[in-house]
Amino acid sequence: MAEKKPLTDSQRRIVLKALGIAPLASAGLFMNLSLSGCSDSTSPSDDSIELKVADEPGLGNIDGFVRRTYGSNNNGNPIIILKTDIDTYRCISVGCPKNCEKKSPAPALGNPSNKEIICETCPMKAKYSVDEKSFGNVLESGPSQTLREFPVTYNASTGTIKIDF
Ligand code: FES
C-alpha cells in the first residue's frame, strides 16, 4: 500500500476549492481554523505584500489612494490603499461590509472621494468614512460593520508599506 504524503499547497487549494472554501485556501489559516473551531475570521490569506510609496503616485498626497488586485490575496478582489495622514496608510477590501445583496460578485465599494467611500453597486449605497479620525465608520445606510481593514505597517526609513492579509 502506498505511503500517504502530506498535500502540497496547490493540492490543498484544489481540495478546499472542491469543498467550496477556496477563499480559505492558505495552509496557515486552514490550520488556524482547525484549531480554533468555528472562527469567522475574515482573513482570506496569510500572505503579505510590500510596496515602495515613492513608486505609487497615488500615495503621494494625503487622501490619495491606489486600487489594485494582488494575486489571490483578498480572495483575488481589489484592495484600496489610502494615505490618510502624514506617514499614515490604511488598506481596505473593496467588499462592502454591509453585504445586503447576496449575489456574486459581492457589491463593491467605489473609489474614495472627499474622505468618504460609497458602496456603488448596491441600491442601499452605504457610505463609510475614510477620514483618519473616523476611519471605517458607517456614515449612511443604516447599521453595518465598519470597513474591512488589513493591517498596514509603514517603514519610514525604507519608505515602504507592508500589508498583511
Ligand atoms: S452591499 Fe453595500 S450597501 Fe448594500
Side-chain angles (χ1 to χ4, degrees):
M1 191 167 155
E3 182 182 331
K4 285 187 181 175
K5 292 181 182 170
L7 297 177
T8 65
D9 276 354
S10 71
Q11 290 170 323
R12 191 176 292 113
R13 282 191 188 93
I14 291 167
V15 170
L16 292 173
K17 191 170 184 179
L19 293 172
I21 52 177
L24 305 176
S26 86
L29 181 60
F30 189 64
M31 284 288 293
N32 222 356
L33 291 177
S34 301
L35 297 172
S36 62
C38 296
S39 165
D40 66 348
S41 168
T42 55
S43 177
S45 164
D46 58 2
D47 290 335
S48 64
I49 56 163
E50 278 191 22
L51 51 98
K52 239 183 175 8
V53 171
D55 294 341
E56 301 290 347
L59 300 177
N61 298 308
I62 292 173
D63 296 334
F65 69 93
V66 169
R67 182 186 187 110
R68 193 173 297 151
T69 300
Y70 288 95
S72 61
N73 289 308
N74 193 27
N75 300 333
N77 295 314
I79 56 172
I80 300 174
I81 307 163
L82 305 99
K83 180 177 174 114
T84 54
D85 207 342
I86 297 168
D87 293 348
T88 306
Y89 300 87
R90 301 276 199 142
C91 177
I92 57 173
S93 169
V94 297
C96 178
K98 198 166 173 72
N99 200 24
C100 34
E101 289 206 329
K102 311 283 187 210
K103 62 180 186 182
S104 185
L109 302 171
N111 289 333
S113 176
N114 298 322
K115 298 187 183 292
E116 296 174 352
I117 196 163
I118 297 174
C119 180
E120 285 188 337
T121 56
C122 172
M124 296 303 291
K125 301 276 185 236
K127 187 188 288 184
Y128 303 87
S129 169
V130 288
D131 185 340
E132 180 54 33
K133 297 181 190 80
S134 56
F135 194 91
N137 291 348
V138 186
L139 300 173
E140 275 179 31
S141 192
S144 173
Q145 297 176 359
T146 57
L147 290 175
R148 181 177 162 212
E149 274 197 80
F150 298 108
V152 179
T153 311
Y154 176 61
N155 183 331
S157 61
T158 59
T160 57
I161 57 177
K162 178 170 175 271
I163 300 167
D164 291 305
F165 292 95

